[in-house]
Amino acid sequence: MVVVAVVSVFSLISLISNERTVFINIKDSAESTKHNYEKPIEKTEEEKLDSKPQHAKTLRTKSPKPQHAEVLKIKYPEEPAPTIIEDILLSSSKPPPGRTIFFIESSCYRSDSQYNMSSIKAHQACPIESAALHNPNFQVFVLFACLTHRNESTPIIDAIISYKNVHFRSLNLDRYAQDTPIGDWVKKGDLFTSSYLMYHLSDLLRLITLYRFGGVYLDMDVLQLRSLEDEPLNFAGAERSDSIGNSVISLEPNGFGHQLGELFLQDFQKNYMGHVWAHNGPMVLVRVLSEICGTKNVTLMENNRERCQGFRVFDINAFFEVRFDECILFFEPENATETLARTKNSRMVHTWNHIITRWPLKIDSKAPYMHWAAQHCPRVVAATGELFY
């Protein structure tokens, strides 16, 4: 009986020892597992990238890759960063005074606006090319009235910049008006009460531009048919018998031309009316030149530099042979012979794009506009394909 008791005690001690060993092993395993979870797991480079905050990945690649691309590890090329167009006053390369033709794009007239140069259409690019083509000794500056960028190449833009005398610049209105006769008035904000702000801003910017640099201003719907290089500066053109257009204006950068530029700006401010469309445009020229020329009769001003102290008012045929209420003629093949005959001696044609257009036109159209485009903006025409728009 004593033997049995001893054996039983020995078995019990062995069992307790085995259970303690199993418990210790389980604890050690749990501790080991715990330490394994607490220890950072080394990640692959791809996993590290995917674990970054979303904004960090967005900065690295501007558009998320599709799911299958992650699996196949396809590398997509990054989108090129947009090129910001320089401010005309901050650029180291400025317009040469009196030897520059200016165009102004003012559709992006609000303070928070941005303009993408790829928005330029063929019928806007055509006048730019015609100016560069016919005046190789002039520089051609296209100004944008807001922050402007170019984020991709387009055939039309490439066609324009293939001319070495074409340049693009942006402008800031407050900075541009500063140190001019109208700078303080612009800061007051009266301009922005206009019912036709885009047009009145354009009216103002062309006057500031010519005051600053002199040269020639053209609307972006004025197609040049012959060179201006031999024509003395200080000119505009009669639009009707009682009106002088402001779609074509030229001023000298100094002397009498600069004085005229100051008078134009002073009149713009003094007589500004935001609810009347043409009051701050063509009528500025009429009011000032009536004083300069000593007559309100526009017909008497025409081609008479002596009467107008050296300023020339071209006759209607020079720039505005086809009136605004006839502009449909530019797009009608059936009237092409008559329209081309009327404008055969014109220096330019104003197509009045803000009134009516018939874009697109087929490249082989017999419309007068395509007749001119083929001769005066051939690179833009070649860049457009079958349709000119």
Side-chain angles (χ1 to χ4, degrees), residues 36-301:
N36 285 340
Y37 278 118
E38 289 176 349
K39 181 181 180 180
I41 300 174
E42 190 66 26
K43 297 182 179 180
T44 65
E45 290 299 318
E46 187 173 349
E47 288 172 328
K48 289 178 181 178
L49 174 61
D50 287 340
S51 66
K52 289 181 180 180
Q54 185 62 36
H55 69 273
K57 290 190 286 184
T58 301
L59 289 175
R60 184 177 184 275
T61 56
K62 293 188 178 181
S63 56
K65 298 177 182 178
Q67 185 66 31
H68 66 276
E70 294 288 345
V71 175
L72 298 176
K73 297 182 180 180
I74 297 174
K75 291 185 178 181
Y76 288 88
E78 292 187 0
E79 296 178 6
T83 300
I84 303 300
I85 304 303
E86 288 185 288
D87 186 293
I88 187 172
L89 297 184
L90 304 181
S91 172
S92 60
S93 177
K94 293 184 172 59
R99 303 296 292 175
T100 303
I101 297 172
F102 294 96
F103 295 89
I104 299 176
E105 169 55 66
S106 60
S107 62
C108 57
Y109 55 88
R110 300 196 180 278
S111 59
D112 59 347
S113 297
Q114 289 193 24
Y115 189 86
N116 187 338
M117 276 178 51
S118 63
S119 301
I120 293 179
K121 301 294 189 290
H123 66 268
Q124 296 171 301
C126 188
I128 298 170
E129 181 181 356
S130 71
L133 175 66
H134 289 299
N135 304 280
N137 296 312
F138 273 60
Q139 299 302 304
V140 178
F141 272 67
V142 184
L143 309 183
F144 300 93
C146 67
L147 181 66
T148 301
H149 64 276
R150 180 187 179 194
N151 60 358
E152 61 182 5
S153 177
T154 65
I156 290 176
I157 296 298
D158 290 344
I160 301 173
I161 63 176
S162 67
Y163 289 87
K164 301 303 182 184
N165 59 337
V166 173
H167 314 271
F168 298 98
R169 295 288 187 273
S170 65
L171 62 87
N172 174 280
L173 176 59
D174 287 340
R175 180 163 48 237
Y176 204 51
Q178 189 176 348
D179 300 324
T180 74
I182 208 166
D184 291 339
W185 181 82
V186 169
K187 288 182 179 179
K188 287 174 54 182
D190 291 355
L191 172 69
F192 299 97
T193 64
S194 170
S195 303
Y196 308 95
L197 181 55
M198 182 176 72
Y199 299 104
H200 291 163
L201 174 62
S202 180
D203 290 334
L204 175 60
L205 288 176
R206 70 194 67 185
L207 298 180
I208 294 176
T209 299
L210 293 176
Y211 176 82
R212 280 188 171 277
F213 303 107
V216 181
Y217 166 82
L218 302 177
D219 272 358
M220 287 186 75
D221 55 359
V222 172
L223 187 62
Q224 202 163 324
L225 308 182
R226 62 186 67 182
S227 177
L228 288 172
E229 289 187 351
D230 295 332
E231 180 63 35
L233 300 179
N234 293 342
F235 61 80
E239 187 177 304
R240 301 188 307 268
S241 60
D242 60 347
S243 178
I244 301 171
N246 71 336
S247 302
V248 179
I249 314 175
S250 167
L251 293 178
E252 292 174 326
N254 43 44
F256 179 61
H258 191 66
Q259 294 172 19
L260 266 182
E262 183 173 357
L263 291 174
F264 288 151
L265 287 172
Q266 290 172 348
D267 183 273
F268 187 99
Q269 175 179 340
K270 178 181 177 181
N271 296 298
Y272 182 72
M273 296 177 65
H275 62 283
V276 182
W277 182 70
H279 186 80
N280 313 299
M283 295 312 296
V284 170
L285 274 67
V286 171
R287 289 191 294 269
V288 173
L289 291 174
S290 292
E291 295 294 324
I292 296 296
C293 303
T295 179
K296 294 183 179 180
N297 188 327
V298 174
T299 303
L300 294 179
M301 300 179 192

Side-chain angles (χ1 to χ4, degrees), residues 306-322:
E306 184 177 350
R307 169 185 280 274
C308 295
Q309 302 182 39
F311 191 91
R312 180 175 184 180
V313 178
F314 279 92
D315 60 35
I316 293 173
N317 179 262
F319 311 139
F320 304 105
E321 172 61 31
V322 178

